């Protein structure tokens, strides 16, 4: 998900270690950012999952000249993707999927309905989220 719109959705069947994460970056993120941003610079925001903070992942980002935003621990209020997944959960709350295939189809349908405007709004809302976290002294916020 970017301020320019949502890239392709990637379902992973295995645990995500650094090697798997780097494959996702290579085969999904890079083509998506090329399509959405062309040669323009962009900054990647990720949480502090072990696959994200592994030395080999840091090397991958350096090798591909991708800038990664420094990220505070335990800060889902400041992650627009978490907010997007919250919207997805609310939209799918009353749907009853009977199996994994139906759940996957519901997620794919939601993901394909995301507009660039929605993504941009979520990114643009981050200053308000940051202010709320500061005012709450790092405690949980309404976001």
């Amino acid at each position: 998900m970017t301020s320019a719109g949502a890239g392709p959705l990637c379902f992973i069947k295995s645990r995500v270690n650094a090697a798997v994460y780097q494959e996702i970056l290579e085969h999904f993120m890079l083509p998506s950012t090329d399509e959405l941003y062309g040669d323009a610079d962009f900054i990647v925001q990720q949480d502090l999952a072990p696959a994200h903070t592994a030395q080999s992942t840091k090397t991958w980002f350096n090798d591909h000249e991708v800038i990664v935003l420094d990220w505070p621990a335990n800060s889902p209020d400041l992650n627009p993707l978490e907010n997007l997944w919250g919207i997805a959960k609310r939209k799918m709350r009353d749907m009853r999927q009977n199996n994994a295939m139906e759940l996957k189809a519901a997620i794919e349908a939601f993901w394909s309905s995301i507009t660039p405007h929605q993504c941009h709004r979520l990114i643009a809302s981050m200053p308000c989220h940051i202010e709320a976290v500061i005012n709450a002294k790092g405690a949980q916020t309404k976001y």
Side-chain angles (χ1 to χ4, degrees):
M1 175 225 175
T2 75
S3 62
L9 191 58
C10 174
F11 290 93
I12 306 299
K13 293 183 180 183
S14 65
R15 294 182 67 113
V16 178
N17 60 25
V20 170
Y21 183 55
Q22 291 161 35
E23 287 291 315
I24 294 166
L25 295 171
E26 187 81 33
H27 298 290
F28 289 88
M29 188 206 64
L30 284 182
S32 179
T33 55
D34 282 347
E35 185 177 316
L36 293 167
Y37 292 104
D39 290 335
D41 290 336
F42 61 92
I43 298 172
V44 170
Q45 178 182 2
Q46 56 184 5
D47 60 22
L48 299 178
H52 301 173
T53 59
Q55 187 56 50
S56 63
T57 300
K58 291 176 186 177
T59 299
W60 186 95
F61 280 117
N62 285 333
D63 290 349
H64 290 81
E65 299 179 353
V66 175
I67 300 167
V68 178
L69 182 67
D70 285 335
W71 191 245
N74 301 318
S75 52
D77 294 350
L78 303 178
N79 188 334
L81 184 58
E82 293 297 333
N83 295 312
L84 185 59
W85 282 122
I87 293 167
K89 289 175 187 175
R90 286 190 297 279
K91 283 192 173 192
M92 292 189 293
R93 182 180 303 148
D94 296 328
M95 300 171 132
R96 298 289 176 235
Q97 294 84 26
N98 295 311
N99 55 50
M101 291 295 285
E102 289 180 10
L103 176 59
K104 183 177 177 183
I107 293 168
E108 287 172 328
F110 168 77
W111 197 259
S112 67
S113 75
I114 298 167
T115 66
H117 177 72
Q118 287 173 300
C119 293
H120 182 75
R121 260 192 21 242
L122 286 169
I123 302 287
S125 73
M126 286 299 104
C128 292
H129 292 230
I130 292 167
E131 183 178 349
V133 169
I134 290 168
N135 291 338
K137 298 184 170 115
Q140 197 170 23
T141 70
K142 69 179 183 176
Y143 299 110

